[in-house]
């Protein structure tokens, strides 16, 4: 069901939600968090779709704050039931000047006592923690890769890091990190002398993956950037007994090669946005590892 | 710059603060005996695929099937493929399937066929070479317990039960997974354990009680020990009694061969319900490590006492023909394969008291049955009435006891029942419920019990598996009851689709209580 509420206030929207709940039964029950998506009108659809899929795993109330010109005041749209996955979506479209007080705008719509997660699907504020929405959120999700200049963005985020920040470029490395970590669980137990990360030239996941390897292994890391490559294409860990290589040239299937072991083929498709958001929402406390990699590890990687 | 040391104990890429990192099982393979069975097709194979699809199995994982069928690797791969397509929880992805399919093998033979086990040993050895499974293999015995001794002996004879080539750096493992029933009484459980432990040492034996892999059962531990508000009232000062129910709406189906002579108490109460009782009643464990958890479960199971008058405090029944939810169903004695004069119970209810400070005087009622009103498993903790009610008795006539109900399946969740004022001018109090649905607040795609359990086996994490001591203790509790019943003749018939025989209601009425309708 989609309900349009043109030229309204969020107090009226909150009242409408309570009314819908009384009439329709189980709306807003058992929601575990409020997800505030800050965007402009051009990229709302894509963000809502991803959040709806993720909401199957984490039922939430989704508030979309879209900057756009409206005829007067704030336009609202409520989506519940089949149009909203397992969530309920409230889209607020307001002119930029009305969003100066974005915190008090969304206040009546926040779920009581539940954590707030802020997500900027494309451009994030230079200092997310100081942003009005960011400041009241428990978690701030940025996406440096989808910003205009990913590598500059991730370094700007490093300057402004506060506990509670995460970036989807980091989320995109999780499966790679899991596979790489498990290779070192097996003998021979030798130190890694050098690590090489290769992939798409402007992909900020490369920087974070290299920063993580450098920081944890305390070794030289090289980043090989190729224009037109698809995300991360390979990681090589060089040890005395030979190289461990995890390569994904096609963007679908990866090959893991280790000395004296048969090669393994691994289904490793490039991660979808909704998978990344679902992973982000799984833990709502700060990601200390990300903080360390971003603020310290990234210095090892040439910008 | 000197790079970080890497040792078997310390992997620098694993950091305890790195909570995202998936825990992928190390190189290994799984060998399933009895792959043609329902369990293997509907639960095990789909669970293996789901794990693989979620990236939790090692890259070179291998799955070997062993059965009498005249199949080759391709035939078996097709069987797995069909089972996965039909029953897997996660979406079917061709690349993920290909990755799994490359490691699928089949060995044909019967359990007494020595050559077949030689062939299996060769296959497993080849997997070490071709797939890099590095000598780590788990054997899943999805076969009747009568076949355990033969299979175990064959595994030992063919050298499969003990890894070779252990070095200082690597200690490959062999593990065995067995399913309930773990015997049919104390003596047979010990016999079975002797057979298995002759071949595998205790830490390598994983007994599967799939209930312990269920989300809600683990949530019971979270509910009790992660919260402040329940534990203070979780004792005989506040709790009146506890009801643990496992009701099935189906009959025995085609399982007469297994079920007839076993019955509801041995099939369900001995393992699932007594495990649920242990988790509900145990003290807080020092940690959730297997040893600490098992220590508490054993303590509470050892404190269990049966009533002296078993006739008055137990009940049993056998379903008779009837109409269940609009469908005509046969009585137990008319099912295919049951003896016409069978005294096997399809409904069993027992009272257990726990002799410790926390629970003295609080009876635990356990009931299990087939062809009951609907399919439900739940733990209901029923509280005492408030000591004084400052209302007129007419105002609270609709008020029952407060209760916390943990629904294990289906619709996993927790319900709290309490009194609330009925709107209006009169002060009238009535029972209302507050409901937490697991599926509402969290992932709808929470892993299947078998996924969790298979992964735990491959990772070598034993907390979710009952130990032999627990199995022995549960038989100690149940044996006197089944012996008493054996002398009693025919169980009381009950109409299919009801909540069991009248004697079960009388059993609770004697204690001044009633069964909850779940």
């Amino acid at each position: 069901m989609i309900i349009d509420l043109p030229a309204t206030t969020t107090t009226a929207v909150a009242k409408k939600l309570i009314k819908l709940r009384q009439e329709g039964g189980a709306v807003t029950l058992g929601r575990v968090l409020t997800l505030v998506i800050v965007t402009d009108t051009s990229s709302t659809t894509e963000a809502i779709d991803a959040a709806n899929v993720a909401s199957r795993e984490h039922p939430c109330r989704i508030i979309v704050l879209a900057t756009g010109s409206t005829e007067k005041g704030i336009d609202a749209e409520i989506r519940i039931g089949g149009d909203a996955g397992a969530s309920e979506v409230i889209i607020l479209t307001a002119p930029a000047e009305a969003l100066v007080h974005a915190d008090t705008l969304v206040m009546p719509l926040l779920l009581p006592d539940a954590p707030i997660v802020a997500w900027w699907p494309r451009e994030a504020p230079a200092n997310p923690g100081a942003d009005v929405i960011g400041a009241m959120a428990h978690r701030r999700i940025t996406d440096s890769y989808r910003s205009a200049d990913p590598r500059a963005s991730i370094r700007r985020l490093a300057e402004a890091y506060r506990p509670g920040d995460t970036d989807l470029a980091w989320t995109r490395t999780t499966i790679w990190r899991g596979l790489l970590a498990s290779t070192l669980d097996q003998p021979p137990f030798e130190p890694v002398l050098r690590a090489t990360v290769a992939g798409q030239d402007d992909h900020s996941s490369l920087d974070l993956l290299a920063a993580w390897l450098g920081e944890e292994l305390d070794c030289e890391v090289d980043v090989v950037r190729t224009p037109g490559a698809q995300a991360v294409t390979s990681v090589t860990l060089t040890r005395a007994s030979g190289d461990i290589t995890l390569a994904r040239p096609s963007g679908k299937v990866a090959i893991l090669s280790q000395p004296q072991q048969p090669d393994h083929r691994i289904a490793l498709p490039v991660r979808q946005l909704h998978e990344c958001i679902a992973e982000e929402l799984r833990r709502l406390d700060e990601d200390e590892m990300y903080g360390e990699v971003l603020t310290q590890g990234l210095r090892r990687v040439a910008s | 710059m000197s790079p970080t040391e890497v040792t078997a104990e310390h992997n620098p890429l694993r950091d305890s603060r790195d909570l995202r990192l998936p825990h992928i099982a190390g190189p290994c393979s799984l060998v399933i005996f009895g792959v043609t069975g329902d369990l293997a097709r509907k639960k095990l194979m789909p669970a293996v695929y789901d794990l693989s699809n979620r990236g939790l199995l090692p890259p070179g994982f291998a799955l070997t099937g062993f059965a009498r069928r005249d199949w080759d690797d391709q035939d078996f791969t097709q069987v797995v493929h069909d089972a996965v397509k039909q029953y897997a929880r996660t979406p079917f992805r061709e690349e993920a399937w290909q990755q799994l399919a490359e490691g699928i093998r089949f060995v044909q033979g019967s359990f007494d066929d020595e050559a077949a086990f030689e062939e299996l040993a060769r296959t497993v050895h080849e997997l070490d070479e071709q797939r890099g499974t590095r000598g780590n293999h788990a054997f899943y015995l999805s076969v009747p317990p009568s076949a355990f001794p033969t299979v175990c002996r064959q595994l030992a004879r063919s050298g499969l039960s003990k890894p070779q080539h252990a070095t200082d750096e690597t200690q490959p493992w062999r593990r065995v997974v067995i399913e309930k029933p773990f015997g049919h009484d104390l003596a047979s459980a010990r016999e079975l354990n002797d057979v298995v432990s002759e071949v595998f040492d205790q830490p390598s034996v994983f007994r599967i009680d799939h209930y312990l892999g269920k989300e809600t059962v683990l949530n019971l531990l979270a509910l009790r020990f992660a919260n402040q508000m329940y534990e203070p009232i979780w004792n005989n000062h506040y709790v009146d009694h506890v009801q643990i129910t496992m009701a099935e709406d189906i009959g025995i189906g085609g399982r007469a061969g297994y079920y007839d002579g076993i019955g509801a108490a041995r099939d369900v109460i001995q393992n699932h319900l007594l495990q649920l009782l242990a988790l509900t009643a145990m003290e807080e464990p020092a940690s959730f490590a297997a040893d600490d958890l098992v220590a508490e479960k054993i303590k509470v199971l050892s404190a269990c006492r049966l009533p002296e008058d078993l006739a008055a405090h137990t009940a049993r029944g056998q379903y008779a023909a009837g109409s269940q939810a609009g469908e005509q169903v046969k009585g137990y004695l008319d099912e295919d394969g049951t003896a016409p004069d069978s005294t096997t119970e399809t409904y069993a209810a027992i009272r257990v008291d726990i002799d410790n400070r926390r629970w003295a005087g609080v009876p635990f009622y356990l009931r299990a049955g087939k062809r009951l009103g609907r399919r439900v498993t739940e733990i209901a903790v029923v509280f005492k009435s408030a000591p004084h009610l400052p209302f007129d008795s007419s105002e609270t006539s609709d008020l029952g006891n407060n209760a916390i109900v943990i629904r294990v399946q289906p619709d996993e969740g927790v319900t709290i029942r309490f009194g609330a004022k009925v709107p209006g001018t009169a002060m009238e109090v009535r029972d209302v419920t507050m409901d937490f649905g697991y599926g509402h607040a969290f992932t709808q795609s929470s892993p299947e019990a078998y996924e969790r359990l298979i992964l735990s086996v491959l990772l070598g994490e034993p907390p979710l598996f009952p130990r032999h001591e627990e199995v022995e203790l549960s038989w100690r509790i149940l044996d006197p009851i089944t012996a008493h019943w054996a002398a009693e003749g025919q169980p009381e018939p009950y109409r299919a689709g009801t909540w069991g025989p009248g004697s079960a209601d009388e059993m609770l009425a004697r204690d001044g209580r009633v069964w909850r309708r779940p």
Side-chain angles (χ1 to χ4, degrees):
Chain A
M1 187 165 40
I2 297 183
I3 297 145
D4 275 314
L5 299 168
T8 185
T9 65
T10 44
T11 313
V13 176
K15 272 192 192 146
K16 183 72 185 170
L17 279 170
I18 292 171
K19 195 154 167 253
L20 284 170
R21 174 175 166 181
Q22 281 168 347
E23 285 167 1
V27 189
T28 58
L29 287 173
R31 306 268 175 251
V32 291
L33 58 96
T34 309
L35 176 64
V36 184
I37 305 177
V38 187
T39 173
D40 55 39
T41 39
S42 64
S43 54
T44 44
T45 320
E46 169 194 51
I48 294 171
D49 288 349
N52 277 344
V53 177
S55 76
R56 301 237 161 80
E57 203 170 319
H58 311 276
C60 53
R61 175 174 283 180
I62 300 171
I63 303 172
V64 181
L65 277 181
T67 325
S69 52
T70 55
E71 285 183 6
K72 50 176 181 178
I74 297 152
D75 287 349
E77 180 185 317
I78 300 174
R79 297 185 191 177
I80 51 171
D83 294 302
S87 58
E88 52 195 10
V89 183
I90 301 146
I91 303 166
L92 302 171
T93 312
E97 56 272 22
L99 292 179
V100 175
H101 300 291
D103 52 347
T104 52
L105 179 68
V106 298
M107 204 69 83
L109 296 175
L110 299 175
L111 296 171
D113 232 13
I116 303 164
V117 179
W119 174 27
W120 292 270
R122 285 183 184 268
E123 296 300 331
N127 185 346
D131 177 80
V132 278
I133 292 289
M136 69 180 187
H138 301 79
R139 284 287 306 277
R140 290 167 291 275
I141 304 172
T142 53
D143 194 350
S144 57
Y145 170 58
R146 314 259 311 228
S147 67
D149 185 352
R151 293 177 53 206
S153 293
I154 197 72
R155 281 170 178 79
R156 203 160 48 229
L157 289 168
E159 295 297 315
Y161 175 77
R162 289 185 198 193
D165 288 0
T166 46
D167 192 85
L168 292 180
W170 174 242
T171 324
R172 291 187 180 96
T173 65
T174 304
I175 299 179
W176 282 78
R177 295 195 303 119
L179 286 165
L180 291 169
S182 64
T183 59
L184 296 194
D185 286 335
Q186 303 301 325
F189 301 107
E190 297 170 340
V192 176
L193 308 172
R194 167 177 285 275
T196 311
V197 178
Q200 189 178 337
D201 56 344
D202 62 347
H203 205 304
S204 42
S205 290
L206 259 67
D207 298 84
L208 289 175
L209 196 52
W212 173 67
L213 289 168
E215 184 67 16
E216 298 304 307
L217 299 171
D218 211 359
C219 68
E220 293 277 353
V221 273
D222 296 326
V223 182
V224 181
R225 301 178 197 273
T226 317
Q230 200 169 9
V232 181
T233 53
S234 82
V235 175
T236 305
L237 305 179
T238 305
R239 302 189 294 182
S241 63
D243 287 358
I244 298 173
T245 306
L246 181 60
R248 179 181 64 183
S250 69
K252 271 190 170 172
V253 177
I255 309 285
L256 174 66
S257 332
Q258 301 165 86
Q260 274 123 49
Q261 287 292 324
D263 283 1
H264 298 303
R265 287 159 49 85
I266 304 163
L268 189 63
V270 176
R271 286 188 110 184
Q272 305 282 319
L273 187 59
H274 66 84
E275 295 171 274
C276 296
I277 280 294
E279 179 182 312
E280 278 308 317
L281 299 183
R282 213 161 286 155
R283 295 202 65 94
L284 296 171
D285 46 358
E286 65 168 296
D287 185 343
E288 291 178 49
M289 202 64 217
Y290 168 73
E292 187 179 305
V293 167
L294 186 72
T295 54
Q296 292 169 39
L298 203 55
R299 290 192 204 131
R300 297 166 177 266
V301 183
S303 55
Chain B
M1 195 176 340
S2 70
T4 318
E5 283 294 315
V6 180
T7 63
E9 289 75 38
H10 176 67
N11 177 349
L13 293 184
R14 290 201 189 282
D15 187 311
S16 58
R17 295 169 303 160
D18 197 348
L19 301 164
R20 292 170 191 263
L21 218 56
H23 212 149
I24 305 173
C28 62
S29 91
L30 179 68
V31 179
I32 303 179
F33 293 93
V35 279
T36 48
D38 258 10
L39 179 79
R41 226 161 35 83
K42 289 188 183 161
K43 297 286 184 189
L44 304 183
M45 296 170 188
V48 166
Y49 169 80
D50 288 332
L51 283 172
S52 173
N53 199 9
R54 288 164 64 206
L56 298 175
L57 294 184
F61 181 78
L63 174 70
T64 307
F66 185 99
R68 213 168 321 172
R69 296 283 164 87
D70 185 16
W71 285 342
D72 57 22
D73 290 353
Q74 272 80 35
D75 298 326
F76 180 55
T77 307
Q78 190 59 40
V79 170
V80 181
H81 179 267
D82 295 347
V84 165
K85 272 220 151 157
Q86 197 174 350
Y87 298 108
R89 180 178 65 85
T90 56
F92 188 86
R93 289 190 302 154
E94 192 56 37
E95 302 93 57
W97 164 251
Q98 278 311 327
Q99 181 190 337
L100 182 64
E102 281 174 19
I104 294 181
R105 303 286 183 275
F106 184 78
V107 175
Q108 189 217 347
S110 57
F111 299 148
D112 51 11
D113 181 356
E114 298 194 349
F117 277 81
E118 300 291 339
E119 178 60 30
L120 181 63
R122 207 159 30 244
T123 306
V124 162
H125 188 70
E126 264 171 30
L127 287 173
D128 289 343
E129 310 262 296
Q130 294 170 358
R131 304 281 297 167
T133 47
R134 306 198 189 198
N136 303 315
H137 304 282
F139 302 97
Y140 199 119
L141 271 49
S142 181
V143 298
S146 56
F148 286 4
T150 327
V151 176
C152 286
R153 231 168 285 132
Q154 292 280 20
L155 287 174
R157 208 194 48 80
S158 53
L160 281 164
S161 60
K162 297 273 180 288
Q164 291 128 14
H165 320 298
T167 62
D168 289 345
E169 234 183 12
T170 54
Q171 271 119 19
W173 50 258
R174 298 293 155 96
R175 295 180 186 138
V176 67
V177 186
I178 55 179
E179 284 265 352
K180 69 150 199 181
F182 312 120
H184 53 87
D185 58 13
L186 182 57
S188 59
R190 283 190 173 152
E191 223 169 87
L192 183 72
N193 186 55
D194 290 345
V195 167
V196 177
S197 53
E198 216 173 88
V199 177
F200 293 94
D201 44 347
Q202 279 299 337
S204 308
V205 182
F206 290 76
R207 292 174 189 80
I208 288 218
D209 183 334
H210 67 272
Y211 260 63
L212 299 188
K214 284 194 183 286
E215 201 72 61
T216 9
V217 174
L218 302 178
N219 185 44
L220 175 60
L221 300 178
L223 181 95
R224 289 192 57 198
F225 302 122
N227 294 306
Q228 176 73 328
M229 56 200 251
Y230 300 110
E231 208 53 14
I233 54 170
W234 213 259
N235 55 50
N236 52 10
H237 294 293
Y238 299 97
V239 175
D240 181 69
H241 69 283
V242 177
Q243 298 184 8
I244 303 179
T245 305
M246 179 175 163
E248 290 171 280
D249 52 2
I250 51 168
I252 53 162
R255 291 171 68 227
Y258 159 70
Y259 198 85
D260 202 35
I262 293 289
R266 291 191 179 100
D267 185 36
V268 171
I269 294 185
Q270 180 268 333
N271 37 60
H272 305 325
L273 295 198
L274 283 172
Q275 283 289 332
L276 293 183
L277 174 141
L279 294 172
T280 309
M282 71 181 189
E283 298 296 319
E284 184 175 52
S287 79
F288 283 128
D291 286 336
D292 293 331
L293 201 59
V294 167
E296 293 304 332
K297 286 201 279 177
I298 286 181
K299 242 164 70 186
V300 72
L301 287 172
S302 331
C304 284
R305 175 178 53 84
L306 290 179
E308 276 179 20
D309 184 356
L310 288 177
H313 295 290
T314 66
R316 63 187 185 130
Q318 197 178 56
Y319 62 85
S323 165
Q324 187 178 37
E327 190 193 351
Q328 287 299 320
V329 295
K330 282 190 216 170
Y332 178 75
L333 297 179
D334 303 325
E335 297 273 9
D336 297 334
T338 56
D341 57 348
S342 171
T343 58
T344 304
E345 84 281 356
T346 63
Y347 177 98
I350 66 170
R351 170 183 166 151
V352 176
D353 284 80
I354 299 174
D355 284 341
N356 61 25
R357 179 174 282 250
R358 189 194 278 257
W359 295 115
V362 179
F364 281 68
Y365 299 105
L366 315 184
R367 59 172 165 168
K370 292 195 177 286
R371 285 264 182 250
L372 297 182
R374 71 190 184 89
R375 171 173 168 260
V376 62
T377 302
E378 62 167 40
I379 302 163
V381 179
V382 182
F383 291 88
K384 295 181 174 170
S385 308
H388 169 72
L389 290 169
F391 307 100
D392 284 344
S393 61
S394 64
E395 290 168 347
T396 54
S397 55
D398 279 345
L399 181 65
N401 293 13
N402 294 162
I404 295 179
V405 181
I406 295 134
R407 295 192 304 273
V408 177
Q409 72 171 14
D411 187 25
E412 293 98 329
V414 182
T415 298
I416 296 181
R417 189 177 67 176
F418 59 99
K421 183 185 168 302
V422 179
T425 46
M427 185 65 200
E428 204 182 317
V429 184
R430 183 187 292 173
D431 283 337
V432 294
T433 58
M434 199 156 70
D435 200 69
F436 157 70
Y438 227 73
H440 304 162
F442 294 107
T443 154
Q444 292 192 322
S445 52
S446 68
E448 267 277 329
Y450 278 100
E451 262 176 89
R452 192 190 310 276
L453 294 171
I454 291 176
L455 185 62
S456 300
V457 170
L458 300 180
L459 289 169
E461 291 172 346
L464 296 176
F465 302 90
R467 295 247 176 106
H468 177 63
E469 296 92 306
E470 295 169 63
V471 175
E472 275 204 13
L473 281 167
S474 343
W475 283 121
R476 247 181 240 279
I477 296 169
L478 205 63
D479 277 355
I481 297 176
T482 48
H484 165 77
W485 284 345
E488 291 285 287
Q490 201 65 28
E492 185 188 346
Y494 61 94
R495 194 156 57 88
T498 62
W499 286 104
S503 55
D505 297 332
E506 289 155 27
M507 162 190 160
L508 252 69
R510 267 180 219 114
D511 295 348
R513 300 189 174 97
V514 287
W515 288 110
R516 220 182 95 79
R517 186 170 48 74

